[in-house]
Amino acid sequence: GAVVSQHPSWVICKSGTSVKIECRSLDFQATTMFWYRQFPKQSLMLMATSNEGSKATYEQGVEKDKFLINHASLTLSTLTVTSAHPEDSSFYICSATRQRNSYEQYFGPGTRLTVT
Amino acid sequence: GDSVTQMEGPVTLSEEAFLTINCTYTATGYPSLFWYVQYPGEGLQLLLKATKADDKGSNKGFEATYRKETTSFHLEKGSVQVSDSAVYFCALGVDRGSTLGRLYFGRGTQLTVWP
């Protein structure tokens, strides 16, 4: 159990367009979901934390108007990269927890975004 | 601030060799410590954890001991297998303000085991 999926697994978009990435908990209800960004050979950088039904909490330096996060249900969170630029190209990973404030996170396989 | 410093890779070993991946941390208070593993094409999976000093986490032959005096949580395995080839992440969990349950990750260490 505790499977998290992401869709799409990879996406290529043109500069200036928006792209949406979905994160789903398939067999459990996720009270909290996290969105990370990972650069090559670097650590996972937490972008934001979202709890179902409330606004996401963004980390310092992350533009909330550019990276829109919606956690509309207990099994789905979406990350929308608006007006994408080449520097937004990265690997985006989501995770989910069963219990609020739990460290036990279940990770999705990630989404590779390339902006041309 | 809270952070994790992890041994840089890549690490290449022959099957049945001994593995150590070093991890040290900086944190105030009493953090929880974790090792996550990422197999090719898959998401990160929790490998083991320790929530207080001197705790030893273990799973699938891997072990790590929470050493408060040296602020370390080194990952070890006595005899690696080809199937252990993956990226290993050390992580720190600290409760800070509104982002409870937040994890801080090291950079990851790529392990390749040859038959």
Side-chain angles (χ1 to χ4, degrees):
Chain A
V3 178
V4 175
S5 70
Q6 280 184 243
H7 178 80
S9 54
W10 59 272
V11 58
I12 300 173
C13 70
K14 292 187 176 179
S15 254
T17 63
S18 296
V19 60
K20 181 185 285 188
I21 301 169
E22 291 187 350
C23 175
R24 292 182 185 272
S25 55
L26 298 185
D27 52 2
F28 67 100
Q29 293 188 326
T31 54
T32 304
M33 286 185 166
F34 299 85
W35 285 96
Y36 296 86
R37 185 171 176 176
Q38 185 180 27
F39 294 98
K41 299 186 179 181
Q42 293 197 29
S43 180
L44 280 72
M45 181 193 80
L46 180 65
M47 298 175 67
T49 304
S50 72
N51 294 302
E52 184 264 339
S54 59
K55 287 186 178 179
T57 301
Y58 289 81
E59 294 298 301
Q60 194 170 10
V62 177
E63 298 175 61
K64 59 181 69 174
D65 294 331
K66 180 167 189 60
F67 299 99
L68 300 178
I69 291 170
N70 185 2
H71 191 163
S73 76
L74 282 171
T75 59
L76 173 65
S77 176
T78 60
L79 167 67
T80 301
V81 183
T82 62
S83 186
H85 290 285
E87 56 265 31
D88 299 325
S89 298
S90 193
F91 195 57
Y92 293 89
I93 301 173
C94 74
S95 70
T97 61
R98 293 184 204 252
Q99 295 175 326
R100 200 177 287 259
N101 305 334
S102 168
Y103 291 127
E104 196 123 5
Q105 297 182 23
Y106 302 96
F107 285 81
T111 297
R112 171 72 61 194
L113 169 63
T114 301
V115 184
T116 60
Chain B
D2 303 312
S3 67
V4 174
T5 301
Q6 187 175 339
M7 169 179 163
E8 288 198 25
V11 173
T12 304
L13 295 172
S14 297
E15 209 164 24
E16 299 183 4
F18 184 85
L19 168 72
T20 300
I21 301 178
N22 290 338
C23 171
T24 57
Y25 68 90
T26 301
T28 53
Y30 302 96
S32 296
L33 299 170
F34 306 84
W35 277 100
Y36 279 83
V37 58
Q38 185 177 29
Y39 298 104
E42 299 183 16
L44 277 74
Q45 303 171 26
L46 179 63
L47 179 61
L48 53 85
K49 66 180 180 182
T51 57
K52 61 184 188 296
D54 300 325
D55 266 3
K56 177 186 282 189
S58 61
N59 185 23
K60 299 181 181 180
F62 290 90
E63 292 183 341
T65 301
Y66 186 159
R67 302 275 188 211
K68 195 169 189 299
E69 63 277 10
T70 55
T71 61
S72 65
F73 193 54
H74 305 322
L75 182 69
E76 296 182 337
K77 186 174 185 181
S79 175
V80 293
Q81 305 300 312
V82 172
S83 56
D84 294 326
S85 298
V87 181
Y88 292 81
F89 291 89
C90 185
L92 169 75
V94 183
D95 288 338
R96 290 280 183 268
S98 61
T99 313
L100 300 179
R102 180 207 173 121
L103 292 174
Y104 293 82
F105 285 89
R107 290 194 170 194
T109 302
Q110 172 74 55
L111 169 66
T112 302
V113 180
W114 297 99

